[in-house]
Amino acid sequence: MTARKRTSSVAKSENPPPATKEHKPTVASGEDFSLAPPKLGVIFVISSLLCSLYLYLLCFHYNVDNELKRPILINAGLSLVGFFVTLKLIPVAARYVLRRNMFGFDINKRGTPQGEVKVPESLGIVVGIVFLIVAIIFQFFNFTEDSLWLVEYNAALASICFMILLGFVDDVLDVPWRVKLLLPSFATLPLLMAYAGHTTIVIPKPLVSYVGLEILDLGRIYKLYMALLAVFCTNSINIHAGLNGLEIGQTVVIAAAILIHNVMQIGASVDSELRQAHAFSIYLTQPLMATSLAMLAFNWYPSAVFVGDTYTVFAGMTMAVVGILGHFSETLLIFFLPQVLNFLLSLPQLAGIVKCPRHRLPKFDPATGLLTGTRDGTLVNVYLRIFGRKSEKSLCIHLLVFQALACAFCFLLRHFLAGWYK
């Protein structure tokens, strides 16, 4: 999350999440503003590492039916267009937000010349808008008026759009933290009302003899679970932050894992409904990843723009939606293992048991340019306390590698438990 500190209001302990910037009431016209060029070389390396396996599995390894492969490739083409559109719109939007005095200063560079640079914020709204446009245009190529998936697809887009709106409201109004926890609950209402899929869960084989059932129908409790999953995913991305590129970086790593998982399930399954559910997930994940990579080109260290809460809640909601409608919420939670760990570490402060400062960031040393972990309960600080001081860029890379290892662990776990667990 990227929180703000205004002179017109007193920072309260009920707003605990970490931040990379703080507000000052300096006026910025935006007329003489020049945004640093996008770091396309970094994006090429990251996208090559994350997308190569997915494309190989989709195009060569698995014999995916043309009925599924064609819309997936069309969606990929539209997502690529969305990547370039996002690249073009970010500098334009950056000037507009500066005119509205929406900028911040990077706290992790305080005491250096970079710490005095006005950084445009809330640019996640660009990613959200382009994502929605790509997802809506894609309907023309894939869904018909009588399509069984059309209602849920539009309900998913409505929930995501609702979350983008609430995230931008938070960026503008600085909503208290306890209120933020409830926002995803309202945003999931369109999806919950339109959801017509199964509400059953498969009982793990070792527990069947104790439960007496192989399949358990949860009914409305399943929809409550869906709402809670959306709340967790949305806020977990929001609080595991505080470094240039970390919010978007973790999103693209998880998105790549989701894509790989979906294409593996499509290739291995003979159930047409299950294959369609995983294809449905791909239709929303590819635009998310493409537009996020475009934003990462500007948000990678040193960050030229801040994404704001608009992006973090949008990304979390989108991944929750694809996990729910793709019927792999258990796998999604293992992909979110670093976020689960960060939440558990943060729980004493979030619950008010331990004093919680406004900014739960590492301590920056301007002389060395290194970050030192504080006693605050975040994965960022705990990692620094265990492995020692690091630069912001190095720390972000380490945490993203940890995220990738968590996703790899999920695939290994599924491989070894297949046939025994379920």
Side-chain angles (χ1 to χ4, degrees):
M1 170 184 181
T2 48
R4 299 177 299 279
K5 180 179 177 183
R6 292 190 176 98
T7 56
S8 58
S9 62
V10 179
K12 299 181 181 179
S13 61
E14 66 173 3
N15 295 323
T20 58
K21 59 184 183 299
E22 62 177 352
H23 262 289
K24 294 184 180 180
T26 307
V27 176
S29 65
E31 298 298 336
D32 56 349
F33 172 74
S34 178
L35 195 67
K39 305 169 187 69
L40 295 179
V42 175
I43 301 307
F44 177 78
V45 173
I46 294 175
S47 59
S48 298
L49 292 173
L50 296 179
C51 298
S52 55
L53 178 58
Y54 163 68
L55 293 174
Y56 167 75
L57 293 175
L58 174 65
C59 299
F60 303 104
H61 186 76
Y62 292 112
N63 185 23
V64 181
D65 295 340
N66 287 331
E67 292 182 2
L68 289 179
K69 183 182 289 187
R70 179 179 174 275
I72 289 175
L73 293 178
I74 291 175
N75 183 271
L78 291 174
S79 300
L80 184 62
V81 174
F83 172 84
F84 290 107
V85 171
T86 305
L87 277 180
K88 291 294 184 181
L89 288 181
I90 288 174
V92 177
R95 283 190 286 271
Y96 275 97
V97 297
L98 279 179
R99 290 173 187 171
R100 303 303 303 169
N101 209 31
M102 296 178 65
F103 64 90
F105 297 91
D106 201 325
I107 295 177
N108 285 335
K109 299 178 182 64
R110 183 183 292 169
T112 67
Q114 285 184 323
E116 301 301 319
V117 176
K118 299 173 182 177
V119 183
E121 65 175 349
S122 304
L123 269 296
I125 189 68
V126 177
V127 178
I129 291 174
V130 176
F131 168 87
L132 288 174
I133 293 174
V134 170
I136 292 171
I137 292 176
F138 173 68
Q139 294 186 64
F140 175 77
F141 297 95
N142 189 58
F143 296 108
T144 58
E145 294 181 358
D146 58 345
S147 174
L148 298 176
W149 286 94
L150 185 58
V151 174
E152 290 188 355
Y153 187 83
N154 284 322
L157 293 185
S159 291
I160 294 170
C161 182
F162 200 172
M163 201 67 249
I164 293 172
L165 172 62
L166 294 176
F168 191 70
V169 168
D170 179 29
D171 279 335
V172 174
L173 301 181
D174 205 13
V175 177
W177 175 244
R178 287 180 176 84
V179 177
K180 295 176 187 178
L181 292 175
L182 300 176
L183 296 183
S185 303
F186 298 110
T188 55
L189 288 177
L191 179 62
L192 296 179
M193 295 302 103
Y195 182 75
H198 68 75
T199 57
T200 58
I201 59 172
V202 179
I203 303 298
K205 291 181 179 179
L207 301 178
V208 170
S209 59
Y210 299 99
V211 179
L213 296 171
E214 293 184 356
I215 298 178
L216 177 63
D217 189 356
L218 297 178
R220 294 184 179 181
I221 298 178
Y222 189 84
K223 290 194 174 184
L224 176 62
Y225 164 72
M226 291 167 55
L228 293 176
L229 179 66
V231 171
F232 170 76
C233 291
T234 303
N235 287 287
S236 64
I237 295 290
N238 205 18
I239 65 175
H240 183 41
L243 305 174
N244 290 170
L246 181 58
E247 297 97 324
I248 307 179
Q250 62 185 300
T251 299
V252 298
V253 171
I254 298 174
I258 291 174
L259 290 173
I260 294 171
H261 170 71
N262 282 322
V263 74
M264 289 175 66
Q265 295 303 305
I266 290 175
S269 177
V270 294
D271 186 337
S272 60
E273 183 179 352
L274 183 62
R275 289 158 63 93
Q276 186 61 52
H278 285 288
F280 183 96
S281 176
I282 291 176
Y283 300 155
L284 293 177
T285 306
Q286 287 184 151
L288 170 66
M289 189 169 185
T291 53
S292 296
L293 284 170
M295 176 61 77
L296 187 59
F298 292 95
N299 187 245
W300 188 254
Y301 182 93
S303 179
V305 299
F306 289 137
V307 296
D309 291 348
T310 307
Y311 176 82
T312 56
V313 297
F314 148 72
M317 177 59 73
T318 304
M319 289 188 285
V321 165
V322 301
I324 291 169
L325 297 181
H327 307 307
F328 58 93
S329 56
E330 292 178 351
T331 301
L332 182 67
L333 285 176
I334 304 178
F335 288 155
F336 272 75
L337 190 59
Q339 287 72 24
V340 173
L341 179 58
N342 184 68
F343 171 74
L344 295 176
L345 292 171
S346 302
L347 198 55
Q349 288 184 316
L350 296 179
I353 300 173
V354 178
K355 183 179 179 181
C356 185
R358 169 63 171 169
H359 301 299
R360 301 188 301 161
L361 291 172
K363 184 178 179 182
F364 176 69
D365 182 2
T368 61
L370 300 178
L371 297 173
T372 304
T374 65
R375 304 305 302 178
D376 291 315
T378 65
L379 184 58
V380 171
N381 284 305
V382 171
Y383 194 93
L384 286 172
R385 293 204 300 267
I386 295 175
F387 296 102
R389 300 195 303 167
K390 298 185 182 301
S391 66
E392 183 177 1
K393 182 179 180 179
S394 174
L395 177 59
C396 182
I397 293 174
H398 279 232
L399 291 174
L400 294 183
V401 170
F402 178 56
Q403 183 77 61
L405 291 176
C407 295
F409 169 74
C410 177
F411 287 114
L412 288 175
L413 194 64
R414 287 182 57 89
H415 173 73
F416 287 115
L417 295 183
W420 175 80
Y421 181 69
K422 286 188 178 181

